[in-house]
């Protein structure tokens, strides 16, 4: 029987699973596996990031974009510690990833040696599965198990490899059986649940649909159901793109980062069809007396965010199809008419600024260029901060466009690693990194990686000299003096040039458009530093259009309060609760603590 090193046997498993690249940064404790990476260089590409956190975030982004497990690695000690942000992003967003962590040789463990500690304990909280092989023969079988567990448990699996085991010769006799892994096949809803749900839809006066990323394969059914039953579509942030933004009844995202219409109408619904959505902030939304039909494949999600009347433990696509086929078409409700008009008013207001000459430049002119110039199959890597707000409000997703961000973990610096992943798995697509100057500063060293591999990435940095998302919290939520949020202006174009990436600074819509067109004609990466407005995005948390100071601050003279549309279309509301008058007295519902200080996005 042929003998191979333990780490080579481990890489044979990765290859057999169809994994053709890994992200990481070498270290002395990882030398045996670095040797395997060298041996496998013609079959498995090594993407050498400049920081281990970038590797683990890239692996997470890869699954979010492709549905295929991402693999990253780090050395013992500091290399392992740097991996945690990516691992927690994977855990929070239920993203299958595999992380290989090096350890010192077995003879040097447990004796207070250089960079040595009990790594398995470190990863107990974050990993859905973690193991440290005791023999070299276990390396390939536990790598196979790590991949299976990551897919099965939808999160990060961690394999800890002692340096000496990677060098140890073992028999080359382990082969995976990945073809035995079935494709996801979630059940159809029961006939009883369909019957109960259809009855509630028929009886409701002002029903809505609230969907999340769990409905990602049901975009057509969501639109058909909205059309047939005249239900406005609302989503979580991670649900953006499931339905194209141009669909008239798609209001957008509820919450602080969303636009005005979804936040206006959510408290007026008397029935919510809740599809594949587990936003933690949804405990703050919808009247507590509203009836709920919840569709999910995870039993733990039912009733977690709102009291539920009908539970459908089933596939979202199959469930929506069953409801569409079984239910009777409805006329437009007052809420539906008011919602459509409210959205049209918002869209017209936003459009009115597309050619604004204000300086520093407003968001609308810049995002108008992005919408016009981005390819139909562009991939957007979105960092964390005010850029999430601009993205969800202004980017008009269409065609085969994809996007990714750090959702529930919301770690700043996500944009650059996600762009690396997108450029690696989609080398023939446009990749746009969209980041604020605060988030970009955290992972800007990955421009070196983009330059090294000549990745066709456009890095757009919105420089507004503040941690804008936190500034707005301090101003609007805690009403405190600004503290720690102001950051100095920086010449990011010059930084990019120093990292072998073409850099351009722009201050107008026309300059930005010219720079984008230049990037489209060139190979490799570019960075565009936009000197962006310091004004905060419209506050949907305050949303006080009856306050002249608020209207003046946001130039919102052309926006109408929702009460205008409610009155126009005969939507009767209880002014104390915002709920439709026909609703019953609310039941007592135990809900999560909403006063933790977390951003309401």
């Amino acid at each position: 029987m042929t003998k191979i090193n333990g780490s080579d046997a481990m890489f044979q498993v990765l290859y057999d699973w169809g994994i053709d690249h890994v992200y990481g940064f070498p270290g002395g404790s990882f030398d045996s596996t670095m040797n395997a990476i060298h041996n496998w260089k013609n079959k498995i590409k090594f993407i050498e990031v400049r920081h281990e956190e970038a590797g683990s975030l890239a692996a997470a982004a890869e699954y979010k974009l492709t549905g295929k497990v991402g693999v990253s690695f780090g050395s013992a000690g500091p290399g392992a510690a740097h991996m945690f942000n990516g691992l927690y992003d994977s855990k929070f967003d239920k993203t299958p990833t595999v992380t290989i962590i090096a350890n010192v040789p077995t003879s040097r463990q447990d004796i207070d040696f250089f960079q040595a500690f009990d790594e398995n304990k470190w990863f107990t909280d974050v990993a859905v599965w973690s193991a440290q092989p005791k023999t070299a023969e276990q390396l390939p079988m536990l790598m196979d198990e790590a991949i299976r567990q990551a897919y099965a448990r939808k999160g990060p699996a961690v394999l800890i490899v002692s340096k000496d085991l990677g060098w140890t010769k073992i028999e080359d006799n382990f082969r995976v059986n990945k073809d035995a892994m079935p494709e996801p096949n979630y059940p159809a809803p029961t006939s009883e649940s369909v019957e109960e749900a259809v009855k509630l839809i028929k009886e409701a006066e002002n029903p809505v649909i609230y969907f999340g990323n769990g409905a990602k394969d049901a975009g057509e059914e969501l639109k058909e159901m909205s059309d047939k039953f005249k239900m406005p579509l609302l989503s979580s942030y991670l649900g953006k793109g499931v339905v194209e933004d141009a669909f008239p009844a798609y209001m957008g995202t509820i919450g602080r980062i969303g636009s005005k219409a979804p936040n206006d109408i959510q408290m007026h619904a008397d029935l919510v069809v809740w599809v594949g959505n587990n936003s933690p902030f949804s405990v703050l939304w919808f009247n507590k007396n509203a009836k709920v039909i919840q569709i999910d494949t995870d039993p733990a999600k039912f009733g977690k965010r709102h009291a539920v009347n009908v539970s459908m433990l089933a596939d979202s696509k199959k469930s929506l199809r069953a409801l569409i086929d079984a239910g009777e078409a409805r006329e437009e409700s007052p809420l539906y008419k008011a919602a459509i008009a409210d959205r049209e008013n918002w869209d017209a207001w936003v459009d009115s600024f597309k050619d604004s000459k204000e300086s520093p430049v407003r968001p609308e002119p810049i995002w108008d260029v992005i919408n016009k110039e981005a390819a139909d199959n562009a991939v957007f890597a979105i960092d964390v901060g005010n850029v999430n707000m601009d993205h969800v409000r202004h980017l008009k997703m269409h065609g085969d466009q994809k996007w990714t961000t750090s959702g529930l973990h919301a770690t700043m610096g996500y944009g650059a690693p996600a762009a690396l992943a997108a450029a690696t798995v989609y080398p023939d697509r446009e990749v746009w990194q969209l980041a604020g100057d605060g988030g970009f500063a955290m992972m800007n060293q990955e421009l070196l990686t983009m330059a090294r591999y000549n990745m066709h990435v456009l890095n757009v940095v919105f420089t507004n000299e503040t941690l804008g998302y936190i500034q707005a919290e301090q101003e609007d939520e805690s009403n405190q003096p600004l503290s720690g949020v102001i950051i100095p202006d920086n010449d990011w174009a010059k930084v990019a040039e120093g990292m072998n990436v073409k850099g351009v600074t722009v201050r107008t819509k026309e300059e930005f458009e010219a720079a984008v067109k230049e990037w489209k004609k060139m190979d490799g990466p570019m960075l565009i530093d936009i000197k962006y407005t310091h004004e905060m995005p419209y506050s949907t948390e305050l949303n006080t259009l009856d306050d002249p100071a608020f209207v003046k601050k946001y130039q919102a003279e052309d926006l109408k309060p929702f009460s205008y549309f409610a009155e126009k279309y005969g939507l009767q509301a209880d002014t104390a609760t915002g709920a439709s008058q026909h609703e019953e007295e609310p039941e007592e519902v135990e809900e999560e603590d909403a006063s933790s200080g977390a951003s309401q996005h």
Side-chain angles (χ1 to χ4, degrees):
M1 180 69 68
T2 303
K3 295 272 189 175
I4 60 172
N5 290 344
S7 284
D8 284 279
M10 185 172 63
F11 266 66
Q12 177 70 59
V13 171
L14 292 176
Y15 182 74
D16 289 345
W17 272 93
I19 293 164
D20 61 7
H21 60 275
V22 296
Y23 309 93
F25 190 90
S29 57
F30 206 73
D31 283 345
S32 56
T33 304
M34 290 307 304
N35 187 70
I37 287 175
H38 173 78
N39 292 340
W40 282 85
K41 62 184 178 182
N42 293 328
K43 294 181 178 179
I44 298 178
K45 185 177 182 180
F46 169 35
I47 308 297
E48 186 178 339
V49 296
R50 306 322 310 162
H51 193 292
E52 291 90 348
E53 179 179 341
S56 61
L57 286 170
E62 180 166 332
Y63 180 85
K64 294 176 187 180
L65 290 169
T66 69
K68 183 177 179 180
V69 67
V71 180
S72 61
F73 68 82
S75 57
H82 286 164
M83 306 292 287
F84 272 92
N85 252 344
L87 290 170
Y88 272 104
D89 181 82
S90 298
K91 177 180 180 177
F92 275 62
D93 285 354
K94 297 194 176 300
T95 303
T97 57
V98 171
T99 301
I100 307 169
I101 299 293
N103 205 344
V104 301
T106 52
S107 62
R108 294 173 180 173
Q109 294 172 19
D110 304 320
I111 59 170
D112 196 24
F113 193 72
F114 176 71
Q115 290 188 333
F117 56 89
D118 188 349
E119 292 177 336
N120 214 3
K121 290 181 180 177
W122 259 33
F123 295 99
T124 298
D125 176 69
V126 68
V128 296
W129 179 92
S130 177
Q132 180 169 338
K134 295 178 175 61
T135 67
E137 286 77 12
Q138 292 179 317
L139 283 174
M141 63 180 69
L142 288 179
M143 173 54 76
D144 181 59
E145 186 67 14
I147 297 170
R148 293 177 187 279
Q149 292 292 337
Y151 277 125
R153 301 190 187 187
K154 295 182 171 58
V158 174
L159 186 64
I160 301 166
V161 179
S162 301
K163 181 177 179 179
D164 55 323
L165 298 188
W167 288 120
T168 303
K169 297 287 186 181
I170 64 174
E171 292 184 352
D172 184 15
N173 62 359
F174 183 84
R175 293 294 181 269
V176 306
N177 189 20
K178 73 177 182 66
D179 292 337
M181 291 284 287
E183 291 293 322
N185 184 25
Y186 297 112
T190 64
S191 57
E192 292 81 6
S193 66
V194 172
E195 183 178 344
E196 292 172 8
V198 167
K199 183 174 183 292
L200 289 184
I201 293 171
K202 183 177 181 178
E203 293 173 349
E205 290 191 18
N206 293 302
V208 301
I209 300 171
Y210 178 49
F211 66 90
N213 195 41
K216 62 181 179 294
D217 297 322
E220 292 304 313
E221 286 75 16
L222 286 168
K223 291 188 293 183
E224 188 175 347
M225 185 158 173
S226 172
D227 276 339
K228 183 169 183 176
F229 300 130
K230 298 300 182 284
M231 294 181 172
L233 292 168
L234 317 173
S235 78
S236 67
Y237 180 30
L238 295 183
K240 180 179 174 67
V242 173
V243 171
E244 64 270 21
D245 289 272
F247 186 72
Y250 176 48
M251 299 295 109
T253 296
I254 311 177
R256 175 182 167 188
I257 69 172
S259 55
K260 177 176 173 288
N263 287 285
D264 279 344
I265 73 173
Q266 48 90 14
M267 281 299 291
H268 294 271
D270 62 350
L271 174 68
V272 184
V273 182
W274 195 297
V275 190
N277 199 336
N278 188 40
S279 169
F281 296 103
S282 57
V283 297
L284 306 171
W285 305 324
F286 301 110
N287 184 268
K288 300 309 174 187
N289 196 36
K291 292 183 170 62
V292 169
I293 300 164
Q294 187 169 359
I295 302 170
D296 211 293
T297 57
D298 182 357
K301 300 295 189 298
F302 290 94
K304 186 174 183 178
R305 308 301 185 189
H306 195 289
V308 174
N309 300 86
V310 178
S311 299
M312 304 180 79
L313 181 62
D315 176 78
S316 60
K317 191 179 186 74
K318 295 175 183 176
S319 298
L320 293 172
R321 172 51 54 199
L323 295 176
I324 294 166
D325 292 344
E328 298 177 6
R330 292 173 48 98
E331 297 295 323
E332 294 180 350
S333 68
L335 181 61
Y336 184 87
K337 294 176 182 177
I340 296 294
D342 196 10
R343 177 192 158 156
E344 289 174 349
N345 179 232
W346 172 268
D347 288 347
W349 178 70
V350 171
D351 287 346
S352 70
F353 296 107
K354 282 184 178 179
D355 294 314
S356 167
K357 302 299 182 183
E358 289 182 45
S359 182
V361 64
R362 288 180 62 98
E364 295 87 355
I366 296 301
W367 290 85
D368 185 45
V369 173
I370 296 173
N371 284 323
K372 290 176 179 176
E373 294 295 334
D376 286 345
N377 65 349
V379 183
F380 299 97
I382 313 296
D383 213 297
V384 169
N386 268 3
V387 67
N388 299 116
M389 202 174 300
D390 284 345
H391 160 245
V392 78
R393 294 180 182 183
H394 300 304
L395 184 66
K396 306 305 180 186
M397 298 288 292
H398 63 274
D400 192 28
Q401 292 179 339
K402 294 176 177 287
W403 72 278
T404 178
T405 196
S406 178
L408 296 181
H409 190 49
T411 183
M412 294 173 67
Y414 179 88
L420 298 181
T424 299
V425 298
Y426 297 120
D428 298 325
R429 292 193 182 196
E430 292 181 0
V431 177
W432 298 59
Q433 183 201 172
L434 306 176
D437 46 349
F440 184 73
M442 294 187 174
M443 282 279 138
N444 70 87
Q445 76 282 338
E446 297 310 319
L447 291 177
L448 292 166
T449 311
M450 296 177 195
R452 177 175 182 176
Y453 298 106
N454 200 39
M455 296 176 170
H456 195 226
V457 176
L458 181 59
N459 301 277
V460 181
V461 182
F462 302 94
T463 297
N464 66 350
E465 302 174 44
T466 181
L467 301 178
Y469 202 85
I470 308 304
Q471 177 181 332
E473 285 182 340
Q474 293 182 359
E475 290 177 338
D476 296 342
E477 292 183 22
S478 50
N479 304 118
Q480 66 188 79
L482 293 184
S483 178
V485 297
I486 305 303
I487 56 180
D489 187 15
N490 190 57
D491 190 341
W492 288 113
K494 186 179 291 186
V495 170
E497 293 286 351
M499 296 189 188
N500 300 311
V501 171
K502 181 172 180 59
V504 179
T505 300
V506 304
R507 291 177 171 82
T508 67
K509 178 179 184 178
E510 292 74 19
E511 290 175 349
F512 179 60
E513 186 173 22
V516 170
K517 290 182 182 296
E518 181 181 0
W519 169 72
K520 282 174 166 283
K521 296 177 181 178
M522 61 178 273
D523 293 329
M526 177 190 272
L527 179 141
I528 302 176
D529 181 4
I530 302 174
K531 300 309 180 183
Y532 209 49
T533 180
H534 297 183
E535 298 298 326
M536 292 296 104
Y538 182 94
S539 173
T540 54
E541 286 185 301
L542 300 180
N543 199 24
T544 48
L545 287 170
D546 56 347
D547 179 0
F550 180 90
V551 171
K552 182 179 179 180
K553 178 179 180 179
Y554 295 107
Q555 300 181 38
E557 290 81 5
D558 292 334
L559 281 181
K560 292 181 170 59
F562 186 67
S563 58
Y564 169 86
F565 302 109
E567 182 178 355
K568 181 176 181 179
Y569 294 105
L571 178 64
Q572 301 297 318
D574 179 340
T575 56
T577 65
S580 303
Q581 285 184 338
H582 73 278
E583 294 171 356
E584 300 170 0
E585 289 298 312
E587 300 174 2
E588 299 242 346
V589 179
E590 182 179 349
E591 61 182 69
E592 297 183 7
D593 180 12
S595 59
S596 62
S599 306
Q600 294 182 18
H601 69 292

